[in-house]
């Protein structure tokens, strides 16, 4: 296929940099000339962001020669999942624009953009606007939004794979459907480095999209991935990888700049402290995660770009396509939990297409050694995992309906046709849509008597729906988005308001209480509520002592030298083991050839398991029963991730209770589920115990008693707008206030309208996000008739890791190693 040439000034720019435009960049220019949308799959360093913008720059180039007074029309909209990525892309885009001499208006719009600038942007749109899904929804809910978007020619969606399987993606898909109505001729460009299901991404990007939409860039150099075979004892359980820190530090010393990825913010704090403790060379090592103050994060990012750091310990805040300087090594602490996530993180190293990225995986326990090896094999084979397409969330639909009615009077029939053109809502029935509309208009049957839930009204003449009044519309705009954060407190250094008193100073002359000083970041309120003044904890890479709480501020002082500080536990942030990697781990356990490269400790562990019990075939599930310490245990090994295992543990416990086995508790890891009780379990009817019918009455009965449904309902109610966190002229509602309001509504609906659309939304959320019912159902079908039972006289090698976690919650720093040392007897029993 003949490729078009570029305009002279663009060719000259490439030549001046010693570059040649790549084939996929030229192909996007060619497609743009005929208005075709494109899904570009290109590895890191292939210039996919430039490819997305290049057609727009070429189209806008003639306008840059016109008068500065030319009309303000939005030509290109860029949407990114991260504010930091939006800012970085804007900075990178400025280089070709400036060097080619294009006089274009390019601006960003995120939650950090000042209100006066956002107002000006609505009145005078830039040529190119870089923004986030939330800001796009906010623009759509604004007056005259149709006029703002009617000249739109191109929409670029970066890191599209990171959005499509989330509620943020649902809102974005609905927003794109609205843009199609206002600007029907616009084309779309989706950018991704990792796509397990290109067809699903194409259909999400454009209604009816198929393989013709996809452009694939050459794969580039294969990454070099090593799994750390530590000389130290590999822990049986735990998630700190403390045993490997000397070797991780040595790898950092050999690198120019290393990104040290972890899976949770708590692990980030711990890893940073461990590296700093052994940092004998005083290497500049920084910490970066989402709870740190934005100013602190920007300082770290600037230092990375300037090349003044040797390592940054980070979470998913640095996952996506941001170019942070001369990174030449990515280190993953703990197993990556997903192959696509690993590829994404590896792509942060070298950021050049023709040079291999280097990565080091540091597993934190023995099962994670297997997972890391499975991920290494998968990347080498070019295999990827990814989330399956999902049905659009009903609470997001309600929010979108409200936003459309805030922007302009809206016809229900037209809006329904528009909504079902978005891939997540293609299967939405008219009855479901009408119920969502009724939710926004009245609150639903059980709540229609309450005036506060009447948020939209219908014009009797036109039949169109609009916001009830300006205050209701403003309230909606203040609560746009699908991210419902936990109640947070600002962590601030405490500052005394008076001088230190001299000895003998009367109480009346003592200094005033401490006041809030410099902000370090935010932390979940429930963690602080579990501390008492004087307790210490890790935050922002420091040991802090809690002095007290004032309003929404946790006041702290530095407490260096303190031992055993608490480690914050954060809501969210834990990645479940992907089905894709789980299958590969099961296969590796059963294939001796693939075990040859495993550390001797791990090979010996598997060998003893075969001798003491059995290693099941990949399509089987092993169930072991044994007594220990006056209790009786049942341990199974589904390898389906913590969420599905948590649900399985609950339902198994209920069934064992009915069977008279007197279960006392259960524990779920990423790989296994352990249930323990007072009665032997070796003669339990296992096929009946693991029957798929547990997802019927047992599940419903548990959910009726559980607080999970109420907590999930509260988040759905906030997203749907039934409960507002922010209101004009009022203080932001606290988490307790939201919970109180949500509980009242939930109790009313549960009694009078249990099939209310928000109750359905909450059940769907619980099933997908907390219970992983789809995966659990697939597990139960997979193992039906393929259970392998071993009734043992004591704990097995595979059971030991989950047994070591019994009684522990979360990651407890140095206490974890103490627990592991105290478990020597259990390990000896398993391996004897």
């Amino acid at each position: 296929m003949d490729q078009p040439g570029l305009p002279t000034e663009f060719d000259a720019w490439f030549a001046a940099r010693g570059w040649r435009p790549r084939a996929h960049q030229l192909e996007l220019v060619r497609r743009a000339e005929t208005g075709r949308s494109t899904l570009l799959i290109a590895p890191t360093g292939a210039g996919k962001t430039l490819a997305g913008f290049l057609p727009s720059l070429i189209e806008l180039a003639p306008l840059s020669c016109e008068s500065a007074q030319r009309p303000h029309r939005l030509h290109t909209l860029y949407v990114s999942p991260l504010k930091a990525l939006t800012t970085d892309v804007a900075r990178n885009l400025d280089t070709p624009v400036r060097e080619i001499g294009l006089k274009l208006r390019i601006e960003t719009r995120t939650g950090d953009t000042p209100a006066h600038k956002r107002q000006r942007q609505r009145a005078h749109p830039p040529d190119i606007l870089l923004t986030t899904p939330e800001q796009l929804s906010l623009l759509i809910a604004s007056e005259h939004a149709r006029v703002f978007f009617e000249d739109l020619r191109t929409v670029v969606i970066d890191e599209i794979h990171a959005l499509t399987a989330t509620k943020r993606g649902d809102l974005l898909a609905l927003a794109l459907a609205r843009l199609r109505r206002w600007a029907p001729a616009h084309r779309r460009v989706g950018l991704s480095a990792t796509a397990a299901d290109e067809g699903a991404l194409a259909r999400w990007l454009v209604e009816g999209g198929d393989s013709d939409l996809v452009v694939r860039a050459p794969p580039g150099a294969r990454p070099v991935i090593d799994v750390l075979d530590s000389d130290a004892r590999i822990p049986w359980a735990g998630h700190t990888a403390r045993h490997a820190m000397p070797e991780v530090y040595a790898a950092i010393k050999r690198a120019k700049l290393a990104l040290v990825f972890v899976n949770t913010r708590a692990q980030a704090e711990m890893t940073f402290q461990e590296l700093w403790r052994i940092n004998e060379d005083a290497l500049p090592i920084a910490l970066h995660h989402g709870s740190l103050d934005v100013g602190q994060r920007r300082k770290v990012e600037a230092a990375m770009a300037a090349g003044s750091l040797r390592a940054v310990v980070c979470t998913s805040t640095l996952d996506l396509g941001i170019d942070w300087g001369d990174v030449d090594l990515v280190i993953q602490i703990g197993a990556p939990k997903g192959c696509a996530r690993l590829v994404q993180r590896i792509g942060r190293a070298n950021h050049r297409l023709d040079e291999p990225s280097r990565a080091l995986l540091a597993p934190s326990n023995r099962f994670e050694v297997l997972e890391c090896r499975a991920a290494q094999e998968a990347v080498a084979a070019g295999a990827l995992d990814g989330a399956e397409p999902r049905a659009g969330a009903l609470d997001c639909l309600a929010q979108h309906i409200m936003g459309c009615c805030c922007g302009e009077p809206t016809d229900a029939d037209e809006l329904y046709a528009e909504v079902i053109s978005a891939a997540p809502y293609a299967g939405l029935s008219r009855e479901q849509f009408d119920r969502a509309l009724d939710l926004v208009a009245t609150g639903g049957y059980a709540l229609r008597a309450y005036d506060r839930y009447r948020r939209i009204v219908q014009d009797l003449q036109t039949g169109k729906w609009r916001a009830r009044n300006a205050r209701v519309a403003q309230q909606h705009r203040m609560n746009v988005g699908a991210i419902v954060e936990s109640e947070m407190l600002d962590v601030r250094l405490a500052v005394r308001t008076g001088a230190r008193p001299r000895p003998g100073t009367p109480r009346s002359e003592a200094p005033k209480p401490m006041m809030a000083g410099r902000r370090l970041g935010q932390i979940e309120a429930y963690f602080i509520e579990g501390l008492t003044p004087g307790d210490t904890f890790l935050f922002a890479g420091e040991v802090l002592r809690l002095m007290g709480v004032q309003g929404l501020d946790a006041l702290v002082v530095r407490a260096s030298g303190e031992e055993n500080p608490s480690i914050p536990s954060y809501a969210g942030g834990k990645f479940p083991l992907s089905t894709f990697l789980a299958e590969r781990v099961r296969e590796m356990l059963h294939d001796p050839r693939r075990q040859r490269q495993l550390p001797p400790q791990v090979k010996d562990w598997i060998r003893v398991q075969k001798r003491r019990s059995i290693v099941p075939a990949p399509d089987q599930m092993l169930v072991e029963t044994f007594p220990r310490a006056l209790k009786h245990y049942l341990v199974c090994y589904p390898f389906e991730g913590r969420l599905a295992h948590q649900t399985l543990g609950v339902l198994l416990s209920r069934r064992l209770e009915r069977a008279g086995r007197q279960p006392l508790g259960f524990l779920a890891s990423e790989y296994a589920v352990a249930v323990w009780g007072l009665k032997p379990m070796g003669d339990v009817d296992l096929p009946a115990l693991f029957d798929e019918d547990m997802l019927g009455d047992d599940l419903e009965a548990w959910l009726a008693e559980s607080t999970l449904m109420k907590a999930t309902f509260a988040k759905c109610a906030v997203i749907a707008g039934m409960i507002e966190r922010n209101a004009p002229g009022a203080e932001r509602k606290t988490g307790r206030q939201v919970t109180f309001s949500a509980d009242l509504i939930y109790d009313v609906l549960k009694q009078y309208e249990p099939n209310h659309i928000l109750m359905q939304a909450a059940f769907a959320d619980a099933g997908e996000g907390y219970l992983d019912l789809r995966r659990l159902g697939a597990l139960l079908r997979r193992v039906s008739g393929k259970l392998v039972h071993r009734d043992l006289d004591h704990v097995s090698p595979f059971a030991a890791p989950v047994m070591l976690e019994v009684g522990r919650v979360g990651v407890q720093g140095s206490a974890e190693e103490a627990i592991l040392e105290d478990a020597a007897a259990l390990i000896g029993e398993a391996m004897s």
Side-chain angles (χ1 to χ4, degrees), residues 689-727:
L689 183 65
F690 286 92
D691 193 280
E692 191 180 358
D693 63 6
M694 72 166 61
L695 298 181
D697 293 343
D698 282 317
L699 177 64
E700 290 181 12
W702 173 61
L703 286 176
E705 304 166 2
S706 169
T707 60
L708 173 64
M709 276 297 291
K710 280 191 173 183
T712 308
F713 177 85
K715 292 184 177 181
C716 291
V718 169
I719 291 172
M722 294 288 286
I723 300 172
E724 69 285 347
R725 294 294 297 262
N726 305 293

Side-chain angles (χ1 to χ4, degrees), residues 263-283:
N263 292 336
T264 69
R265 287 171 283 176
Q267 287 175 320
E269 294 284 353
M270 276 187 302
T271 300
F272 178 79
Q273 284 293 317
E274 282 298 307
L275 290 174
W276 200 254
R277 182 179 60 82
I278 61 177
N279 189 8
E280 298 177 351
D281 299 276
L283 300 179

Side-chain angles (χ1 to χ4, degrees), residues 44-61:
T44 299
K48 62 178 175 292
T49 306
L50 179 58
F53 280 106
L54 192 56
S56 295
L57 297 181
I58 292 173
E59 290 177 18
L60 287 166

Side-chain angles (χ1 to χ4, degrees), residues 424-497:
Y425 296 90
L428 182 78
S429 69
R430 182 59 193 253
E431 185 266 340
Q432 286 176 304
F433 174 82
D434 288 339
R435 291 178 66 203
L437 181 68
D438 187 54
L439 170 69
V440 183
T442 69
Y445 171 77
L447 300 173
R448 66 179 64 245
Y450 299 91
D451 190 63
R452 63 176 299 179
Y453 299 120
R454 290 182 56 239
R455 292 180 287 150
I456 58 175
V457 293
Q458 191 173 26
D459 187 290
L460 296 180
Q461 292 184 331
T462 66
K464 293 186 176 183
W465 295 88
R466 59 174 174 81
R468 181 179 173 187
N469 53 48
R471 189 181 188 281
V472 169
Q474 179 63 14
Q475 182 171 291
H476 168 79
R477 295 176 189 126
M478 295 175 67
N479 292 276
V480 162
I483 301 175
V484 181
E485 296 178 340
S486 302
E487 184 67 14
M488 306 294 284
L489 295 177
D490 281 344
V491 180
R492 294 184 179 272
L493 290 175
V495 179
R496 292 191 182 277
T497 58

